[in-house]
Amino acid sequence: MLAKKLVTAQKRGETRALCLGLGMVACSMMMYFFIGITIVPFYTKSVWTTETVCKVLKANIKDKVFCPNSEGSEDEEIFPYPCLQVWVNLTNSGQEVMLYQTEDTLERNPKCSYVPDKLENSEEVKARIEKIASNFKKYQTFPCYYDPGGTQTNVILSRLYPTKGLLFAFLWPTLMFTGGCLIIVLVKISQYVSVLSAWQ
């Protein structure tokens, strides 16, 4: 009677462990799919792939401009902010080009190097942009990214999804997939050993 209860409990444990492993594999596949349709297209679409050194030539704050948060935004989502323009010199070619914060900055407003998020306090936005401009004047030389193909003549300060970030995004689903497969393999080995012991 006791042996029968132990066998039943073992089967329940194996079933739960197998469900856990299959669930981890399914979740990891969903994460792979989500990363594949969100992050990977932005990574592959970016042409600013080569890192170089930029030297600041001038950093000026122009009059306020208006910028929507996204395409097709309503009027109330359009907010004014000071326009920071940063011009740099590429050390590898000697070109004078405009610097943007990320790829998204160029799409949102090609006239400004930095586009802030929508904030209620306009003074806070102004102070932030002035601080960024002073940092550019203080740190004259810094790494940046340019387009080696020449389709984009401007440069960006940082990529939205760099190679390390993409690898880090794939790290967690890979660990989950590996753990799920390991659990399934261990359950199958346990079942095989149980059957082998029963035959003996």
Side-chain angles (χ1 to χ4, degrees), residues 4-166:
K4 186 176 181 181
K5 289 183 177 180
L6 289 174
V7 171
T8 304
Q10 183 181 5
K11 288 184 178 180
R12 288 178 179 175
E14 290 176 350
T15 303
R16 291 174 181 174
L18 191 62
C19 290
L20 175 62
L22 292 174
M24 291 175 65
V25 171
C27 288
S28 63
M29 297 305 292
M30 290 176 62
M31 292 174 68
Y32 278 129
F33 177 75
F34 180 76
I35 294 172
I37 63 174
T38 55
I39 298 179
V40 174
F42 285 104
Y43 175 81
T44 55
K45 189 175 69 173
S46 177
V47 295
W48 296 270
T49 56
T50 306
E51 184 174 346
T52 185
V53 178
C54 289
K55 184 177 181 181
V56 176
L57 297 176
K58 54 186 175 180
N60 302 323
I61 298 178
K62 303 295 183 179
D63 295 335
K64 286 188 176 182
V65 296
F66 292 87
C67 179
N69 282 340
S70 59
E71 294 184 3
S73 299
E74 299 296 333
D75 292 340
E76 60 267 15
E77 294 184 356
I78 300 177
F79 63 101
Y81 61 92
C83 182
L84 172 64
Q85 292 182 346
V86 180
W87 292 87
V88 297
N89 184 17
L90 290 178
T91 56
N92 62 334
S93 62
Q95 289 180 308
E96 181 180 339
V97 295
M98 190 169 177
L99 174 74
Y100 296 94
Q101 184 185 13
T102 61
E103 301 95 329
D104 184 58
T105 306
L106 179 62
E107 293 182 2
R108 293 180 64 186
N109 189 353
K111 295 181 179 180
C112 303
S113 299
Y114 173 76
V115 178
D117 295 328
K118 184 179 179 181
L119 297 175
E120 299 297 332
N121 191 351
S122 59
E123 294 297 325
E124 183 179 349
V125 174
K126 181 180 178 181
R128 180 183 300 178
I129 292 177
E130 289 177 351
K131 184 178 180 180
I132 293 173
S134 64
N135 286 336
F136 276 119
K137 293 176 182 178
K138 181 179 180 181
Y139 304 101
Q140 292 285 316
T141 305
F142 50 87
C144 58
Y145 295 90
Y146 73 98
D147 175 18
T151 56
Q152 292 287 345
T153 56
N154 42 58
V155 295
I156 61 174
L157 181 62
S158 60
R159 300 182 66 183
L160 281 174
Y161 301 104
T163 304
K164 291 182 178 179
L166 186 66

